[in-house]
Amino acid sequence: MSNRHEGQEARPARRSDGLLLIPVKAVMQVIDVPLRAWQRLAGLTGMASFFLLPNMAVFAIFVLVPFVINFVYSVTGGTEIFLDQRFYVGAAQYRDIFDCRSYLDPSTCVEDGFWVSTRNTALFVVVQVALMILVALVTALVLNREIAGRSFWRAVFFFPVLLSPVVVGLIWRWILQRQGLLNLVLYELFGFEPYSWLTDRNAAFAAAVGVTIWARVGFFALILLAGLQAIPKELYEAAEMDGTRRTRVFFRITLPLLMPNLLVVLVLGLIRSVQVFDEAYVLTGGGPGTSTMYLTQYIYEKGFASDLRDPGLAAAASILMGAVLVVLTLVQMAASRRNEKKGER
Amino acid sequence: MGNVLRFLTRRRGGDRWHWTDVVTWVWLIGGLLVMFGPAVWLVLSSFKTPAALAAFPPTLMPYVIEEAIVAGYDRPLPLYEVRQADGRTVVLAEVRRIGIVAQMVDPRAPETIVKVNIADRQPVEKVSFATSNYTEPFVHFDFLRYLWNSVFVTVMATAVTLLINSMAAFALAKYKFRGQSLILIVIVGTLMVPLGVIMVPLYSMISALGLFNSLWGVIWPTVATPTGVFLLRQYMLTIPDELIDAARMDKASEWQIYWRIVLPLATPALAVLAIFSVVWRWNDFLWPLIVLSQSQLYTLQVGLNVYAGQLNVQWHYILAMTVVTMIPVVLVFVFLQRFIARGIATSGLK
């Protein structure tokens, strides 16, 4: 078995691959002429900067510069998108955002849309991440057992991860609508009357949570599964020899040793959950009312929807969201560094 | 009976069934239904006619009412199974319906019209796949255009990503220069700057460069992926420096070393990045939604969302288009699933 596998890998590339590459090779050869001249002129360091240049230029223009001028946007006012047509307003955008009589009640705020979407996002993040980790953990534990056809089952849970958020949103919109699959199942099993789930505030929230879990849980389950498989088998054998009960093994061996992976899953899940947009937007469009309006959609609508456009406010809101993400990412980096150290020991 | 049950539930090693075994299989079977069920339902629904899509309770398979051409009527008439007063059932064709009474004819004797209470009849149905759901969007919508736009964005973005990421990764892995670690920190730090945070200034940047309403405006901001650079660099670090030094002895230029030695050796990492890039770019939604405002430039994802957002949603087309949008990703899943799973498990990359 392993011999055949090695034999396959050792086989030389097919001729057709070579034919396809001929024009590429020609181009590379032509590029080489001026580059040799540059190499003679600038040396190895010069070549290093040449190799770095394209990526760093694209990176600077489309990430770094926008990141910096985002702060400039947040201190300007008006509805124009180009900076030269905007005027300086100082901290007015931030003042508007934080202008509330009571922070517990979004309707008392000047920018109630921001606080409604912030509250929705916070609620979404807490419920979605907690449930998702639970489902991912159970899935990983199940997939880590000695079951027939394990790679098939792993693929089952991983399948939705690759689907586009738009496809995910549309699939579930179709299932949750009045003539949909959910109503069919409820009707056949319990005789429920058909119901338009996405027009109900609570059901729409539950749908946004459930659908994003459905679409992402396979990804997080894979990370946890990798962690479970890294736990030494000897520990379990020793526990079995001592006749330790399974629940005790789980809480005393599995869970503590899985903690580093759980932490990674928690932070990655939080980072992605804070930015929730695509699936929820296609599924509910933020509705009914504003019940599933999340921060990214608020920023998108403030920035680009023509009738209530305010790019400065959108920039200020996006910086506040960015600050949360930076904190989460720093936590993740610290956590993964601690993991590496543990691995070395 | 007890023996049969014991035989069916017996396990290797003679262990008894533990409650966790039950949970395991309930979870697996339930997972199979919940994870695949919606996609299967989508595919089956996509072959239904608009009338079948609007019916409740919906059927699993796409059914249509069978029709027959009856002499004396210019259009085909729907067939129903009618229970008669004497208990026998006959197949009749419906001419028209007035309230709860249907006027029907026997297809073999079309002269006499029979009046039937609609409670006494059942439609004669057959499984039929409405493939027109798939063929008509090509005519009615710019579906082919969207498909082309999506393919263009995906292929171009992936090609540029592979090129510039691998060049940067080569520089960071195989050269020593000042500011190297700073660049690496900046690149990794970019992970903190997702699109949602910079969409307003990025939009103005794109507009200033004349890339608004252009497919390249969708492509450029996505290609300098920090994960790609990082992944390739980590892989290239494992390529021995001796190989590169030997090539330098043989008077190979640095550019030749890059594309004739390092790139071929980094093929596994490039393949992983290529797969991820294809899936990412094919699935991108928010940024194309912002940059592309002319319908002939829409990618599949944006086009789908726009048509699904209309007041009068033509679900029979939307469902079929959704299935087509799903196909490339399902192919990737079927053929490369193991590969991707390993990539995620080892690098936490998504």
Side-chain angles (χ1 to χ4, degrees):
Chain A
M1 181 68 200
S2 68
N3 272 336
R4 204 185 64 193
H5 186 66
E6 279 162 23
Q8 271 175 348
E9 280 192 335
R11 210 171 52 195
R14 272 170 290 138
R15 279 225 82 75
S16 57
D17 296 342
L19 276 174
L20 270 171
L21 281 173
I22 284 178
V24 181
K25 283 181 177 167
V27 171
M28 293 299 191
Q29 205 64 53
V30 172
I31 296 175
D32 193 39
V33 177
L35 280 179
R36 266 179 195 271
W38 170 249
Q39 191 183 327
R40 266 196 300 277
L41 206 72
L44 283 188
T45 324
M47 282 311 285
S49 34
F50 162 77
F51 282 118
L52 271 176
L53 185 72
N55 197 74
M56 296 322 278
V58 172
F59 174 75
I61 296 172
F62 297 106
V63 180
L64 223 51
V65 174
F67 181 72
V68 174
I69 48 176
N70 205 17
F71 291 95
V72 183
Y73 268 97
S74 73
V75 292
T76 58
T79 57
E80 295 297 330
I81 193 75
F82 286 112
L83 268 182
D84 51 352
Q85 292 153 355
R86 301 177 58 79
F87 48 87
Y88 180 75
V89 295
Q93 303 284 16
Y94 295 98
R95 260 203 307 276
D96 278 356
I97 284 180
F98 287 104
D99 187 0
C100 288
R101 251 174 291 155
S102 158
Y103 286 111
L104 294 176
D105 183 5
S107 61
T108 64
C109 297
V110 172
E111 265 312 315
D112 56 338
F114 175 82
W115 290 103
V116 167
S117 51
T118 301
R119 190 189 56 183
N120 289 346
T121 309
L123 193 64
F124 176 85
V125 167
V126 170
V127 177
Q128 197 253 4
V129 173
L131 284 177
M132 189 172 66
I133 289 182
L134 193 67
V135 178
L137 180 62
V138 175
T139 307
L141 286 169
V142 163
L143 290 177
N144 194 38
R145 307 192 59 176
E146 281 174 28
I147 43 175
R150 190 151 84 183
S151 57
F152 167 77
W153 293 111
R154 196 182 58 190
V156 165
F157 286 92
F158 185 68
F159 166 67
V161 172
L162 294 179
L163 294 181
S164 90
V166 175
V167 167
V168 169
L170 285 175
I171 288 180
W172 283 96
R173 230 173 99 183
W174 178 242
I175 286 172
L176 295 171
Q177 61 133 7
R178 215 168 163 284
Q179 293 90 5
L181 183 61
L182 180 64
N183 280 331
L184 174 65
V185 171
L186 293 177
Y187 176 81
E188 293 292 341
L189 291 184
F190 311 106
F192 276 25
E193 283 301 302
Y195 184 64
S196 297
W197 297 96
L198 294 174
T199 57
D200 178 291
R201 297 181 73 89
N202 294 325
F205 173 77
V209 170
V211 170
T212 46
I213 291 178
W214 181 79
R216 296 172 189 177
V217 73
F219 171 72
F220 294 102
L222 273 185
I223 298 181
L224 291 181
L225 183 61
L228 285 174
Q229 286 173 344
I231 299 176
K233 293 276 171 294
E234 295 80 33
L235 289 176
Y236 291 111
E237 283 160 12
E240 199 178 346
M241 236 172 290
D242 294 344
T244 321
R245 279 189 319 159
R246 290 203 198 191
T247 41
R248 201 173 150 83
V249 170
F250 175 73
F251 284 108
R252 290 300 168 89
I253 298 177
T254 310
L255 210 52
L257 287 175
L258 195 60
M259 256 322 150
N261 294 68
L262 274 173
L263 196 62
V264 168
V265 165
L266 172 70
V267 180
L268 277 182
L270 286 174
I271 289 174
R272 292 192 62 194
S273 190
V274 168
Q275 302 174 60
V276 59
F277 174 76
D278 299 3
E279 294 99 339
Y281 183 71
V282 175
L283 191 67
T284 65
T290 53
S291 57
T292 55
M293 164 89 92
Y294 300 115
L295 260 178
T296 303
Q297 191 187 343
Y298 170 81
I299 296 168
Y300 165 69
E301 290 190 348
K302 271 290 168 219
F304 305 101
S306 46
D307 50 338
L308 34 91
R309 191 156 151 167
D310 190 345
L313 196 63
S318 73
I319 285 170
L320 294 175
M321 185 172 91
V324 175
L325 291 174
V326 167
V327 171
L328 287 174
T329 313
L330 290 178
V331 171
Q332 190 217 350
M333 283 178 172
S336 60
R337 183 163 302 171
R338 213 178 60 177
N339 283 356
E340 274 165 29
K341 276 208 190 116
K342 247 190 206 153
E344 280 161 20
R345 244 182 278 152
Chain B
M1 191 61 205
N3 281 333
V4 174
L5 197 70
R6 217 170 298 139
F7 174 74
L8 285 175
T9 57
R10 82 174 176 189
R11 311 186 65 216
R12 226 179 339 203
D15 290 346
R16 295 247 318 283
W17 274 65
H18 190 259
W19 64 267
T20 54
D21 297 316
V22 180
V23 171
T24 298
W25 285 100
V26 167
W27 194 264
L28 290 176
I29 304 294
L32 186 68
L33 293 176
V34 173
M35 292 293 161
F36 276 147
V40 173
W41 178 251
L42 169 80
V43 174
L44 289 175
S45 299
S46 74
F47 285 105
K48 289 179 180 171
T49 59
L53 288 177
F56 190 88
T59 54
L60 201 60
M61 297 300 286
Y63 286 105
V64 291
I65 298 183
E66 213 158 332
E67 292 180 327
I69 294 165
V70 181
Y73 298 94
D74 41 9
R75 63 188 166 84
L77 300 177
L79 291 177
Y80 289 85
E81 217 165 55
V82 177
R83 204 174 56 240
Q84 291 182 316
D86 56 6
R88 285 184 308 139
T89 56
V90 288
V91 173
L92 299 179
E94 185 189 76
V95 179
R96 68 176 69 84
R97 196 183 123 187
I98 303 155
I100 58 159
V101 178
Q103 296 185 349
M104 309 193 89
V105 291
D106 190 332
R108 277 154 302 179
E111 302 81 38
T112 45
I113 286 184
V114 195
K115 288 190 172 139
V116 177
N117 190 312
I118 58 166
D120 292 337
R121 53 167 220 187
Q122 284 291 326
V124 179
E125 289 178 324
K126 61 168 183 203
V127 173
S128 157
F129 293 93
T131 47
S132 60
N133 290 349
Y134 284 85
T135 51
E136 281 171 14
F138 286 104
V139 187
H140 290 302
F141 307 110
D142 285 335
F143 186 61
L144 217 52
R145 237 225 119 90
Y146 303 160
L147 191 65
W148 162 249
N149 291 341
S150 272
V151 170
F152 180 83
V153 167
T154 305
V155 171
M156 285 302 170
T158 301
V160 178
T161 301
L162 289 180
L163 180 70
I164 68 175
N165 281 7
S166 65
M167 282 169 70
F170 176 52
L172 289 169
K174 291 298 168 200
Y175 292 96
K176 297 257 177 298
F177 53 90
R178 278 202 309 165
Q180 198 165 14
S181 47
L182 178 75
I183 290 180
L184 209 60
I185 288 171
V186 170
I187 287 178
V188 174
T190 329
L191 289 168
M192 287 185 249
V193 192
L195 174 67
V197 175
I198 55 168
M199 60 184 154
V200 172
L202 187 55
Y203 172 83
S204 75
M205 200 75 187
I206 289 288
S207 306
L209 291 171
L211 291 172
F212 180 63
N213 265 331
S214 132
L215 291 178
W216 284 101
V218 175
I219 294 169
W220 281 120
T222 60
V223 292
T225 54
T227 33
V229 176
F230 197 67
L231 179 89
L232 292 175
R233 174 186 173 265
Q234 297 304 91
Y235 196 86
M236 286 177 185
L237 284 175
T238 64
I239 297 173
D241 286 336
E242 288 78 17
L243 269 178
I244 292 168
D245 291 336
R248 278 182 190 142
M249 300 272 202
D250 292 341
K251 297 266 185 311
S253 72
E254 297 302 305
W255 177 251
Q256 280 175 326
I257 291 173
Y258 159 71
W259 74 267
R260 293 180 72 160
I261 296 174
V262 175
L263 270 198
L265 286 175
T267 309
L270 286 171
V272 170
L273 180 59
I275 297 167
F276 276 100
S277 173
V278 165
V279 174
W280 286 334
R281 299 295 83 87
W282 184 263
N283 290 348
D284 267 344
F285 174 57
L286 176 57
W287 186 239
L289 183 70
I290 293 171
V291 176
L292 307 172
S293 73
Q294 290 170 357
S295 73
Q296 73 266 25
L297 288 171
Y298 287 165
T299 59
L300 272 180
Q301 315 291 345
V302 178
L304 262 184
N305 176 59
V306 167
Y307 283 115
Q310 281 169 351
L311 207 55
N312 185 12
V313 183
Q314 292 183 296
W315 273 111
H316 55 301
Y317 292 149
I318 296 289
L319 295 175
M321 283 161 69
T322 309
V323 171
V324 175
T325 310
M326 221 167 78
I327 288 173
V329 171
V330 169
L331 289 180
V332 167
F333 170 76
V334 169
F335 293 109
L336 304 170
Q337 180 269 130
R338 271 162 182 272
F339 208 40
I340 299 172
R342 212 179 310 142
I344 288 179
T346 51
S347 68
L349 178 82
K350 171 73 203 329

